Amino acid sequence: MNEEKLYSLSPQHPQRTVIQVGNIRIGSDFLLVAGPCSVESEKQMITIAWQVKEAGANMLRGGAFKPRTSPYAFQGLGLSGLKILDKARKETGLPVVTEVIDPRDALWVSEFADVLQIGARNMQNFSLIKEVGKVGKPVLLKRGMTSTMSEWLNCAEYILAEGNPNVILCERGIRTFETHTRNTLDLSMVPALKEVSHLPVIVDPSHGTGRLNLIEPMGLAAVAAGCDGLMVEVHCNPEEALSDKEQAFTPQQFAAMAAKVFKLRRFMQEMTAAGAC
Amino acid sequence: MNEEKLYSLSPQHPQRTVIQVGNIRIGSDFLLVAGPCSVESEKQMITIAWQVKEAGANMLRGGAFKPRTSPYAFQGLGLSGLKILDKARKETGLPVVTEVIDPRDALWVSEFADVLQIGARNMQNFSLIKEVGKVGKPVLLKRGMTSTMSEWLNCAEYILAEGNPNVILCERGIRTFETHTRNTLDLSMVPALKEVSHLPVIVDPSHGTGRLNLIEPMGLAAVAAGCDGLMVEVHCNPEEALSDKEQAFTPQQFAAMAAKVFKLRRFMQEMTAAGAC
Amino acid sequence: MNEEKLYSLSPQHPQRTVIQVGNIRIGSDFLLVAGPCSVESEKQMITIAWQVKEAGANMLRGGAFKPRTSPYAFQGLGLSGLKILDKARKETGLPVVTEVIDPRDALWVSEFADVLQIGARNMQNFSLIKEVGKVGKPVLLKRGMTSTMSEWLNCAEYILAEGNPNVILCERGIRTFETHTRNTLDLSMVPALKEVSHLPVIVDPSHGTGRLNLIEPMGLAAVAAGCDGLMVEVHCNPEEALSDKEQAFTPQQFAAMAAKVFKLRRFMQEMTAAGAC
Amino acid sequence: MNEEKLYSLSPQHPQRTVIQVGNIRIGSDFLLVAGPCSVESEKQMITIAWQVKEAGANMLRGGAFKPRTSPYAFQGLGLSGLKILDKARKETGLPVVTEVIDPRDALWVSEFADVLQIGARNMQNFSLIKEVGKVGKPVLLKRGMTSTMSEWLNCAEYILAEGNPNVILCERGIRTFETHTRNTLDLSMVPALKEVSHLPVIVDPSHGTGRLNLIEPMGLAAVAAGCDGLMVEVHCNPEEALSDKEQAFTPQQFAAMAAKVFKLRRFMQEMTAAGAC
C-alpha cells in the first residue's frame, strides 16, 4: 500500500473522484442501484425499473451475461437482454449498469450501458479489465470472492492505467467459513478504502449476505460506515427469479429500505458536519 | 439451526434476554464497555476508568490474564490486576468485565468481576465454558477466530445448559485472507443472531479491525446494524501499552466516538419506531 | 521463525528429538498409532488392541474425553474409559495415547496413559498445555484447525518451556473452503517442520481427510513426505461407532494399509541412503 | 457430485482418459513437465529444454503471457516468447505447454503449443475456458486459488461440453492462513479426483509450496498419493529469474528429484500390482 499508485489518495491526488452518470454525481450523490439479478423479460424489466425509480433508486441493474458455476445453468439472455435494458433506460431515464464477462464484448456492450460491471469471479481477469479500461465507460469493479484489498486496488489500477479514471469499487462479501450467510460482507473495506484511495466505494448487501432479513440492516450499516452507495437486488416475483431468488427483495421491501437509507445518510452527513465544527 | 435450543428465539421463548448488571439492563440499555487491553497499573486503571465513565461508558474492561501466542509475551498481572480492577470499580461505580482463561480460576475470579469474559481462543474450551456456566455470573462470550455462527451458539448452549441464562455474545472479527485489517469484523452476525437467538449481541470494533481509523466507522456501522452494545479499547498512552497498542483509542478519541454512538443509537430507535407505525 | 526457540533445529540444537515410549523410539522408529476415536466398551477396546497390534501398530489410541461441538453429543466415558484403556495396555503391551481436555485432569489422567494428547480445539488452550508441560509425560500436540505453523510451534514452546522436552507434533488437517474432504491435510508441514524443528512429526490421515478412500493414499503420501509416524482410526464395526464413524477403518483395512506403509517407509529410507552416497 | 457429468468416472464411463501428446500417453505414462515460469530468452529456453529432457522430463513448460497482480509487473514476452518455445520444441522434440489468458488468443496460441494451460486465476474465466474447449488442443486446467473440487470439475465440464475431451487437472495449492508456504498443496485432491473422475491429475509442487526445500518431498508425496504427473519450475539461474525465483529449481536439483520420482513411481506400481494379487 506504500507506493503512490493511480488509485491512491495522497498529497499528489487529494481530491476524491466524482463520476458523472446522467444526473448523478457518483462519489458525491448517494448512488442507489437496484434491479433484478438477470434480465428475464421486457415486461419484468420495465415494471421493476419504474418501481425502483419510484422508491428512490437512481441506477438500474440487470445481468445479460451470467457467469455460472455449471455450464448447464442459465447463462443470461445476451444481446436481447441488453436491448431490454436499453428500453428500460429510455422509458424511465434511469442509467444502467450491466456485467461484461468477455473482452470481446466490452466495446459493443458499452453501447447499451452507462456503467460496465466486472463481477467478482472476473476481478482478476486481466485481459477483460484492460479492455474495459480502454473502452472508457465508468466501471463498477466488484471485489473478488477471496481477494485482499491490495489485490482489488491493483485491479482498479489496471483499469486506471489504461486511461480510464472512472472506477467504482463495490464490496460484495468474501468467502469465509461461515455458512449461515452466503458471503461475509466486509464493511471495514468502506472506511479502509476511503482512507487509501480517492475512488468511490459502494456495497452490495444482497450478494453480500444472501439472506433476505440481513439486507436492510447491513445496507444501513454500510451507510453508517460511510459508503457512497448501495446495490440491491429487486425482483417482481422473487420466488420465480431465474437466479438468486433467495436474496431478492420485492419492490415493496426495497421501498421500505430505501426510505431508511436516505434518512440515515442525511443523519450521518449532519452528524459529521456538526462534528467538524 | 433447526432444533429448539436454549439459545433459540422461538414461539416457546419469544422474549429477549435482558441481563441486569448494576444499573444497566444489557439487551435493553445500550452497553458501552471501555478500558485497556491489559490492566497495567493502579494509576493507569483508575485514570482510564474515570475518563471512560465521563465519556459515557457504562462498563469497564481490563485483562488480568492474557492468552498470548508466545509463552515469552506479557501474560497479565493476575491477582494483583484483579485487585486493581476491583478498586477502579469501587471508586467509579462502573461494573467490570474481565477474562478468565482457566477453569480453576472461574470461581475466585468471579469475586472481582461483574461479567466474566471468554476470549476468542477459548470459545471452544469446553471445560472452561462449562465452569463459567456453573459459576452463574453473566458471561461475555467472544466468537472464535474462525468459528461459524452455529459453533458459537453451541458454545453459548454449553453455558446455558449449566443453568446460567446470562450470556452476552460478542462479535470480534474472524480470520480471513485480508491483511489490511487484523480481523474481518462480521457485522452480519448482529442481525443474524438477533433473528435466531434471544441473547444480547455486542461488537468489538477495536480487535475486529486492529486499525485506529476504522474503529469509529465500524462502531457506528454496528449500531446501525442493530447491536446491543460496543466494546472499545482505550488506553491513556496507547504508544506505551503492553499489548494491542496499535488499536487502542485515547480517552479523547473514545469520547468523540461515544457521543456519535449514542446519537446514532437514538436516531435508529426513532426510525424503527416510526417505521412500526 | 527467526529467533532461536526451544523447538528450533539449529547449530545449538542440531540433534533430532527421540522419545522413548516402551520399546519404541519415536522420531527414529516409525510410530503407527491405531485405535477407535472413543473408548466405547472393554470388549471393543481389547479386541481392537489385539487386532491393530497384529497388523503392526505400536501404540494404541482411544478417547475417554471428547470435546464436542454440541453439549448434547456423547462426551466420552471418562474415568471408566481410562480404566479400559489401561487394561488394553496391560493385556497387549501396547503403550497408550489419550486426550486430556482440562488442566485439572492432566496429572491423574497421566497415570493411565503413556502419551497425553492435546486435541486441535485445545492447541491454544494455554492453561491446559502449560499443565501437560508440567506433568512431564510425552505430549502429542495436534495442530489447531486454522492455525499456522508458527502458532503451532509456539504452543509446543509453551510445553517445552515448562521443562518437558517430549513433544510430538501431529498434522491433522486444516479448515479450508473444500467441502469434499472434512479437512485439508497439509502434508507440506512434514518437510517444513523437519526443516525448522527437531521435534518428531506424525500425520493423522483419518481426521485429516474424513473419507475412507483417502486414508490409505494420504497415509502413504505422508510417509513419502518424510513423516515419523501415522495415527489411524480403527473400529471393529465402523457403522456402529459413537463418533467419527465415516472415517474409521476396519481392522482388515488397517492391516492392508499398514503393510504398505512399512514397505514404503523402508523403500524411502533406502532411496535416501542411496542418494546420500 | 451426484449427477452424471461428462467428467464423471461411472458405470457409463468406466475407462480413464488417456491423452496422446507426441510419444507420451498422459494418464498412463508418468508426465513430468519442467521449465521456467516465464520464457525469458532463446538461449535460456533452449539450454533448459535440453537439461530437463536429459533429466527425464517429457514435456516443456514456459509462460509467454503472465497474469500478474500488478499492471506494472513483467507481463511476459507474448508472441516472441511463443516463437522461442516453438524453437525449443523443434530442437529437443519435447512437446510444449503454455498458458493462455485471453479468449482471443486461444486459437493462434494453439499453433505454438501442444497443450494449453489455464492458470489458477482464470479457472472460472468462463469465456476463456469455453474458447479453449472449442480449439480442441489438450488443456491443462489448474485449480483456482480458493476453489472447491466441485467448482474445479465444473470448469472441466465447461471444456468437455464444448467437445474437447482432453483435460488434465493440475493441483497447485490453495490459499489458506498458513504463511510459511506460499500455498497449501492439497494432495488429497489426487485420490479424491481419481475416485470421481476419469480425467488425469497432475501436481505442481513448485507453486504449491513456494519453497525450494519442500518441492522434492511434496513431489514424492504426490507420487505416493497416485498422481499421473508433476509440473516443476526449473531455471538456469534461479536468482536471476524474472518471476517466481524463490521457487525455481536448478537443473541439477531437478535431475536429482526426477530420478527419485521415477524410482518411487515404479515402486508404487509394483506394490499396487502385488496388492492386487
Side-chain angles (χ1 to χ4, degrees):
Chain A
M1 294 289 106
N2 295 323
E3 308 154 53
E4 177 76 10
K5 293 272 179 70
L6 296 173
Y7 63 70
S8 302
L9 184 71
S10 69
Q12 281 72 48
H13 193 317
Q15 72 281 18
R16 297 200 172 273
T17 292
V18 171
I19 305 170
Q20 183 90 36
V21 175
N23 300 323
I24 334 158
R25 302 182 68 245
I26 300 166
S28 170
D29 302 335
F30 192 80
L31 179 66
L32 186 56
V33 188
C37 180
S38 308
V39 180
E40 293 171 10
S41 75
E42 188 178 314
K43 199 180 150 217
Q44 166 231 41
M45 203 65 224
I46 308 275
T47 310
I48 292 181
W50 281 115
Q51 289 176 313
V52 299
K53 185 181 184 181
E54 203 169 333
N58 47 25
M59 189 175 286
L60 187 64
R61 58 159 287 169
F65 302 98
K66 305 302 301 175
R68 302 300 294 273
T69 304
S70 162
Y72 309 124
F74 174 62
Q75 312 264 326
L77 294 183
L79 175 57
S80 63
L82 293 171
K83 286 181 179 164
I84 291 170
L85 269 180
D86 195 39
K87 194 158 182 196
R89 168 167 68 159
K90 279 171 187 147
E91 289 209 11
T92 61
L94 285 174
V96 152
V97 55
T98 200
E99 183 168 356
V100 190
I101 61 175
D102 191 314
R104 294 166 294 190
D105 298 340
L107 193 61
W108 70 267
V109 170
S110 74
E111 301 289 321
F112 297 90
D114 302 281
V115 177
L116 294 176
Q117 177 176 318
I118 300 295
R121 281 198 190 79
N122 282 312
M123 187 195 85
Q124 287 195 317
N125 182 338
F126 299 118
S127 48
L128 176 63
I129 60 179
K130 277 187 204 167
E131 206 62 35
V132 299
K134 281 176 195 147
V135 166
K137 278 272 166 94
V139 178
L140 192 157
L141 180 66
K142 289 202 153 190
R143 183 186 192 182
M145 294 176 75
T146 53
S147 72
T148 63
M149 184 173 99
S150 165
E151 290 165 342
W152 188 11
L153 284 169
N154 269 302
C155 291
E157 189 76 8
Y158 265 96
I159 299 168
L160 300 171
E162 293 292 337
N164 183 345
N166 296 319
V167 175
I168 304 152
L169 300 166
C170 179
E171 162 65 27
R172 47 76 73 202
I174 50 175
R175 192 178 265 199
T176 68
F177 301 132
E178 183 55 66
T179 52
H180 185 74
T181 45
R182 181 172 171 178
N183 294 291
T184 294
L185 193 66
D186 181 7
L187 291 185
S188 64
M189 282 299 104
V190 175
L193 286 167
K194 303 293 282 183
E195 190 184 355
V196 303
S197 174
H198 51 78
L199 298 172
V201 182
I202 72 168
V203 171
D204 176 347
S206 305
H207 285 84
T209 64
R211 292 183 80 96
L212 278 186
N213 290 338
L214 305 187
I215 298 170
E216 182 182 298
M218 291 307 282
L220 295 172
V223 172
C227 71
D228 296 299
L230 292 174
M231 188 171 203
V232 181
E233 248 180 78
V234 181
H235 196 281
C236 307
N237 297 295
E239 326 75 65
E240 291 172 16
L242 294 180
S243 49
D244 285 345
K245 63 186 111 184
E246 70 291 340
Q247 69 194 25
F249 263 179
T250 61
Q252 291 69 36
Q253 290 169 315
F254 174 69
M257 174 184 178
K260 292 184 190 169
V261 160
F262 286 114
K263 265 195 212 168
L264 177 58
R265 164 79 169 181
R266 216 168 312 122
F267 172 82
M268 293 302 298
Q269 288 182 319
E270 287 165 10
M271 187 163 71
T272 306
C277 298
Chain B
M1 294 290 105
N2 294 323
E3 308 154 54
E4 178 76 10
K5 294 272 180 70
L6 295 172
Y7 63 69
S8 303
L9 184 70
S10 69
Q12 280 72 48
H13 193 318
Q15 72 281 18
R16 297 200 171 272
T17 291
V18 172
I19 305 170
Q20 183 90 36
V21 176
N23 300 323
I24 333 156
R25 301 183 69 245
I26 301 166
S28 170
D29 302 336
F30 192 81
L31 178 66
L32 186 56
V33 189
C37 181
S38 307
V39 180
E40 293 171 11
S41 74
E42 189 177 314
K43 198 179 151 219
Q44 166 230 42
M45 203 64 224
I46 309 274
T47 311
I48 292 180
W50 281 113
Q51 288 176 314
V52 300
K53 186 181 183 179
E54 205 170 331
N58 46 24
M59 189 175 286
L60 186 64
R61 59 159 287 169
F65 302 99
K66 306 302 301 175
R68 301 300 295 272
T69 304
S70 162
Y72 309 125
F74 174 62
Q75 311 264 325
L77 294 182
L79 175 57
S80 63
L82 293 171
K83 287 180 178 165
I84 291 170
L85 269 181
D86 195 38
K87 195 160 181 193
R89 170 168 64 162
K90 280 172 186 148
E91 290 210 12
T92 60
L94 284 174
V96 152
V97 56
T98 200
E99 184 167 356
V100 190
I101 62 174
D102 190 313
R104 294 166 296 189
D105 299 339
L107 193 62
W108 70 267
V109 170
S110 74
E111 301 290 321
F112 298 89
D114 301 281
V115 177
L116 295 175
Q117 177 177 317
I118 299 294
R121 281 199 190 79
N122 282 313
M123 187 194 84
Q124 288 195 316
N125 182 338
F126 299 117
S127 48
L128 176 62
I129 59 179
K130 278 186 204 168
E131 206 63 33
V132 300
K134 281 176 195 146
V135 166
K137 278 273 167 94
V139 179
L140 192 156
L141 180 66
K142 288 203 153 189
R143 183 188 191 180
M145 294 175 74
T146 52
S147 73
T148 62
M149 183 172 98
S150 165
E151 290 165 343
W152 188 11
L153 285 169
N154 270 301
C155 292
E157 190 76 7
Y158 265 96
I159 300 168
L160 300 172
E162 294 292 337
N164 183 345
N166 296 319
V167 176
I168 304 152
L169 300 166
C170 180
E171 163 64 28
R172 46 78 71 202
I174 50 175
R175 192 177 264 199
T176 67
F177 301 131
E178 183 54 67
T179 52
H180 184 74
T181 45
R182 180 172 170 180
N183 294 291
T184 294
L185 193 65
D186 181 7
L187 292 184
S188 64
M189 281 299 104
V190 174
L193 287 166
K194 303 292 281 183
E195 191 184 355
V196 303
S197 174
H198 51 77
L199 298 171
V201 182
I202 72 168
V203 171
D204 176 347
S206 306
H207 285 84
T209 64
R211 293 183 80 96
L212 278 185
N213 290 338
L214 305 187
I215 298 170
E216 181 180 299
M218 291 307 280
L220 295 172
V223 173
C227 71
D228 296 299
L230 291 175
M231 188 170 202
V232 180
E233 248 182 76
V234 181
H235 196 280
C236 307
N237 298 296
E239 326 74 65
E240 292 170 16
L242 294 180
S243 50
D244 284 345
K245 62 185 112 187
E246 68 292 337
Q247 70 195 26
F249 263 0
T250 61
Q252 293 69 37
Q253 290 169 315
F254 174 69
M257 175 183 178
K260 292 185 192 168
V261 161
F262 286 113
K263 264 196 214 167
L264 177 58
R265 164 79 169 181
R266 216 169 311 121
F267 172 82
M268 294 301 298
Q269 288 182 317
E270 288 165 10
M271 187 163 70
T272 306
C277 297
Chain C
M1 292 291 102
N2 295 323
E3 310 154 54
E4 178 75 11
K5 295 270 180 69
L6 295 172
Y7 63 70
S8 303
L9 184 71
S10 69
Q12 281 71 47
H13 194 319
Q15 71 282 17
R16 298 200 170 272
T17 292
V18 171
I19 304 170
Q20 183 90 35
V21 176
N23 300 321
I24 333 158
R25 301 182 69 246
I26 300 165
S28 168
D29 301 335
F30 192 81
L31 179 66
L32 186 56
V33 188
C37 181
S38 308
V39 180
E40 293 172 11
S41 74
E42 187 177 313
K43 198 179 152 217
Q44 167 232 40
M45 203 64 223
I46 308 275
T47 311
I48 292 181
W50 281 114
Q51 288 176 314
V52 299
K53 185 180 183 180
E54 204 170 331
N58 46 25
M59 190 176 285
L60 187 63
R61 59 159 287 168
F65 302 98
K66 306 301 301 175
R68 302 298 295 271
T69 303
S70 163
Y72 309 124
F74 173 62
Q75 310 264 327
L77 294 182
L79 175 58
S80 63
L82 293 172
K83 286 182 177 162
I84 291 171
L85 270 181
D86 195 40
K87 193 157 182 196
R89 170 168 66 162
K90 280 172 185 148
E91 289 210 10
T92 60
L94 284 175
V96 152
V97 56
T98 200
E99 184 168 356
V100 190
I101 60 175
D102 190 314
R104 295 167 295 191
D105 298 340
L107 193 62
W108 70 267
V109 169
S110 74
E111 301 289 321
F112 297 90
D114 301 281
V115 177
L116 295 176
Q117 178 177 319
I118 299 294
R121 281 198 191 77
N122 282 312
M123 187 195 83
Q124 288 195 315
N125 183 337
F126 300 118
S127 48
L128 176 62
I129 59 179
K130 278 186 203 168
E131 206 62 35
V132 299
K134 281 175 195 149
V135 166
K137 278 272 167 94
V139 178
L140 191 157
L141 180 66
K142 289 203 153 189
R143 183 187 191 181
M145 293 175 76
T146 52
S147 72
T148 63
M149 184 172 98
S150 165
E151 289 164 342
W152 188 12
L153 284 169
N154 269 302
C155 291
E157 191 75 7
Y158 265 96
I159 299 168
L160 300 172
E162 293 292 339
N164 183 344
N166 296 318
V167 175
I168 304 152
L169 299 166
C170 179
E171 161 66 28
R172 47 75 75 202
I174 51 174
R175 194 179 263 198
T176 67
F177 301 131
E178 183 55 66
T179 53
H180 185 74
T181 47
R182 180 172 171 179
N183 294 290
T184 294
L185 193 66
D186 181 6
L187 291 184
S188 64
M189 282 299 105
V190 174
L193 287 167
K194 304 292 282 184
E195 191 184 353
V196 303
S197 174
H198 51 77
L199 298 171
V201 182
I202 72 169
V203 171
D204 176 346
S206 305
H207 286 84
T209 64
R211 292 184 80 97
L212 278 185
N213 290 338
L214 304 187
I215 298 170
E216 182 181 299
M218 291 307 282
L220 294 172
V223 172
C227 71
D228 295 300
L230 292 175
M231 189 171 201
V232 181
E233 248 181 77
V234 181
H235 196 282
C236 307
N237 297 296
E239 323 78 64
E240 292 171 17
L242 293 181
S243 51
D244 285 345
K245 62 185 110 182
E246 69 292 338
Q247 69 195 26
F249 263 1
T250 61
Q252 292 69 37
Q253 289 169 315
F254 174 69
M257 175 184 178
K260 291 184 191 168
V261 161
F262 286 114
K263 263 195 213 169
L264 176 58
R265 163 80 169 181
R266 216 170 309 123
F267 172 82
M268 294 302 298
Q269 287 183 316
E270 287 165 10
M271 188 163 69
T272 306
C277 299
Chain D
M1 294 290 103
N2 294 323
E3 309 154 54
E4 179 75 11
K5 294 272 180 68
L6 294 172
Y7 62 70
S8 304
L9 184 70
S10 68
Q12 281 71 48
H13 193 317
Q15 72 281 19
R16 298 200 170 272
T17 291
V18 172
I19 304 170
Q20 184 89 37
V21 176
N23 298 323
I24 334 158
R25 302 182 70 243
I26 300 165
S28 169
D29 302 335
F30 193 81
L31 178 66
L32 186 55
V33 187
C37 181
S38 307
V39 180
E40 293 172 10
S41 74
E42 187 177 315
K43 195 176 154 223
Q44 166 231 42
M45 202 65 223
I46 309 275
T47 311
I48 292 181
W50 281 114
Q51 288 175 313
V52 300
K53 185 180 184 183
E54 204 169 332
N58 46 26
M59 189 175 287
L60 187 64
R61 59 159 286 168
F65 302 98
K66 306 302 301 175
R68 301 301 292 273
T69 303
S70 162
Y72 309 124
F74 174 61
Q75 310 265 327
L77 294 183
L79 175 58
S80 63
L82 293 171
K83 286 182 178 163
I84 291 170
L85 269 181
D86 195 40
K87 193 157 182 196
R89 169 167 67 161
K90 279 172 185 147
E91 289 208 12
T92 61
L94 284 175
V96 152
V97 57
T98 200
E99 185 168 355
V100 190
I101 62 174
D102 191 314
R104 294 166 295 191
D105 299 340
L107 193 62
W108 71 267
V109 170
S110 75
E111 301 290 321
F112 297 90
D114 301 281
V115 177
L116 296 175
Q117 178 176 319
I118 299 295
R121 281 198 190 78
N122 282 313
M123 187 195 83
Q124 287 194 316
N125 182 337
F126 300 118
S127 49
L128 177 62
I129 59 179
K130 278 186 204 168
E131 205 64 34
V132 299
K134 279 174 195 149
V135 166
K137 279 271 166 98
V139 179
L140 191 157
L141 180 66
K142 288 203 154 190
R143 184 187 189 181
M145 293 175 75
T146 52
S147 72
T148 63
M149 184 172 99
S150 165
E151 289 165 343
W152 188 11
L153 285 169
N154 269 302
C155 291
E157 190 76 7
Y158 264 96
I159 300 168
L160 300 171
E162 293 292 339
N164 183 346
N166 296 320
V167 175
I168 304 152
L169 299 166
C170 180
E171 162 65 28
R172 47 76 74 202
I174 51 175
R175 194 178 264 200
T176 67
F177 302 131
E178 183 54 66
T179 52
H180 184 74
T181 46
R182 180 171 172 180
N183 294 291
T184 294
L185 193 66
D186 181 7
L187 291 185
S188 64
M189 282 299 105
V190 174
L193 286 166
K194 303 293 282 184
E195 191 184 353
V196 303
S197 174
H198 51 77
L199 297 172
V201 182
I202 73 169
V203 171
D204 176 346
S206 305
H207 286 83
T209 65
R211 292 183 80 96
L212 278 186
N213 289 338
L214 304 187
I215 298 170
E216 182 181 298
M218 291 307 281
L220 294 172
V223 172
C227 72
D228 296 299
L230 292 174
M231 188 169 202
V232 181
E233 249 181 77
V234 181
H235 196 282
C236 307
N237 297 296
E239 325 76 67
E240 293 171 16
L242 294 180
S243 51
D244 285 346
K245 62 185 111 183
E246 69 291 340
Q247 69 195 25
F249 263 0
T250 61
Q252 292 68 37
Q253 289 169 315
F254 175 70
M257 175 184 179
K260 290 184 191 168
V261 161
F262 286 114
K263 263 196 211 166
L264 176 58
R265 163 79 169 181
R266 215 169 311 122
F267 172 82
M268 293 303 297
Q269 288 182 319
E270 287 165 10
M271 187 163 69
T272 307
C277 298

